[in-house]
Amino acid sequence: MKEIILVKYGEIILKGLNRPVFENILLKNIREALKSLGEIEVTRAQAAIFIDPSESVDIDDVIERLKKVIGVLSITRAGVCEKNIDAIKKAALEYCGEDILEEKTFKVEAKRADKKFPLKSPEICREVGGYLFHNLDGAQVDVNNPSNVVMVEIRDFGAYVYCKKIAGQGGLPIGTGGRAMLLLSGGIDSPVAGYMIAKRGVELEAINFFSYPYTSERAKEKVISLAKILSGYVPKIKLHIVPFTEIQLAIRDNCPEDHLTLIMRRFMMKISERVARANGAEALITGESLGQVASQTMQALHVTNSVVDMPVFRPLIGMDKEEIVRISRKIGAFETSILPYEDCCTVFTPKHPVTKPKVEKIIASESVLEIEELIQKAIDGVETIVIEP
């Protein structure tokens, strides 16, 4: 039996007159993700995407690529048959019979997109369900809590049967939500923050602050590895690595110890905003979670926000660490994030950082620094690496 892949999307359906724009971008992203695998036909019709690999392409490889395409809600291997009820019954038995026998209970659901088909959805379910019941010894029908659901879809140009769905990433296709700059450290939180904003259709660039020799080349390679993992979901990320040692030493030598982290964060935000604007990004993304550390209290976040004019997205703001770790594991970043290589945020950590800072006091503390000169020197030394999956 001929086999294809059915891809479904969710939120895009709600986009009204703009829906074709979102659908076309998703099609483009899918074709881009699959192009290196070989000859694959990708078409769209009736709120679904049909993927037909040539015989030389491994269908499992196609599915693995699709699982990382943001905007894809579900992926299904489906058997294709003629559009008549006898062919559909036989196809359901051939394509889903073994799965039903493994799970024991089943039900049939039908979607009749082609309204010219002579049987309505409940009639299709009865016909196919009865046929499967009588031809599978030991299989039982359970319409309330089945172990297996056999799906029949009657579309304008064919009939399809399948019984298992694979979850996709969901969200909106990359390229529909603008571009933002992710402050990417070597920790657990920031890659998760980037992934979550990417699911809103946002293209990512990334910026990292590197304090050699206080942070090692291994720490830099760790950040590059995290950007590589993200590029599996957001193809082609530009990673901007900022030399940060001189700024940190200047802060350490001239500013009150309990203000060190916040002044450092303010420099990071200023530099990130300028690099973002130079690269067409319209917002910043951070992995901050309210109250997780001293620099992430409500007052501290206000102090760091006050130095930039562009929006700052903090998708983890209300999440606890367990929730963040769960997503980190899901996207494959956790094992890299916990490698024991320090980042610049841990090099000059004060023993007793201020937790309820006042903006005016922080401004007074940093006013002794040559702020513009330090920022410009750091920006002049930026190293940019293009990261691709």
Side-chain angles (χ1 to χ4, degrees), residues 344-357:
C344 72
C345 295
T346 61
V347 175
F348 300 113
T349 304
K351 291 181 180 179
H352 303 289
V354 61
T355 57
K356 295 183 178 181

Side-chain angles (χ1 to χ4, degrees), residues 252-266:
R252 183 196 66 180
D253 294 342
N254 295 283
C255 301
E257 184 186 7
D258 61 343
H259 291 178
L260 295 185
T261 300
L262 282 175
I263 294 174
M264 178 186 72
R265 293 290 298 172
R266 284 164 64 86

Side-chain angles (χ1 to χ4, degrees), residues 78-98:
V80 184
C81 63
E82 293 180 23
K83 205 162 52 172
N84 66 71
I85 193 62
D86 289 333
I88 291 167
K89 289 191 290 188
K90 291 176 182 177
L93 179 63
E94 178 184 344
Y95 201 73
C96 302
E98 288 186 11

Side-chain angles (χ1 to χ4, degrees), residues 20 34 49 80 97 121-122 134 230 259 263-264 266 274 276 340 361 380:
L34 302 180
I49 294 171
V80 184
S121 294
H134 288 107
L230 281 175
H259 291 178
I263 294 174
M264 178 186 72
R266 284 164 64 86
R274 295 191 192 186
K361 289 187 177 181
D380 290 343

Side-chain angles (χ1 to χ4, degrees), residues 238-282:
K238 281 201 293 185
L239 172 62
H240 308 278
I241 299 175
V242 180
F244 204 54
T245 309
E246 186 173 345
I247 291 174
Q248 286 193 294
L249 291 174
I251 296 170
R252 183 196 66 180
D253 294 342
N254 295 283
C255 301
E257 184 186 7
D258 61 343
H259 291 178
L260 295 185
T261 300
L262 282 175
I263 294 174
M264 178 186 72
R265 293 290 298 172
R266 284 164 64 86
F267 269 93
M268 287 180 173
M269 297 292 275
K270 289 176 183 178
I271 293 169
S272 297
E273 182 181 39
R274 295 191 192 186
V275 176
R277 291 194 189 283
N279 287 274
E282 300 171 282

Side-chain angles (χ1 to χ4, degrees), residues 7-9 23-37 40-43 48-51 62 65-66 69-75 173:
V7 167
K8 304 292 182 68
Y9 42 87
E23 290 174 328
N24 288 334
I25 291 175
L26 180 57
L27 276 172
K28 172 180 168 290
N29 294 348
I30 287 173
R31 290 186 178 117
E32 185 68 23
L34 302 180
K35 70 179 182 180
S36 64
L37 294 179
I40 301 171
E41 184 179 354
V42 181
T43 56
I49 294 171
F50 298 79
I51 297 176
V62 176
R65 296 281 182 93
L66 290 171
V69 176
I70 290 175
V72 170
L73 183 65
S74 68
I75 307 146

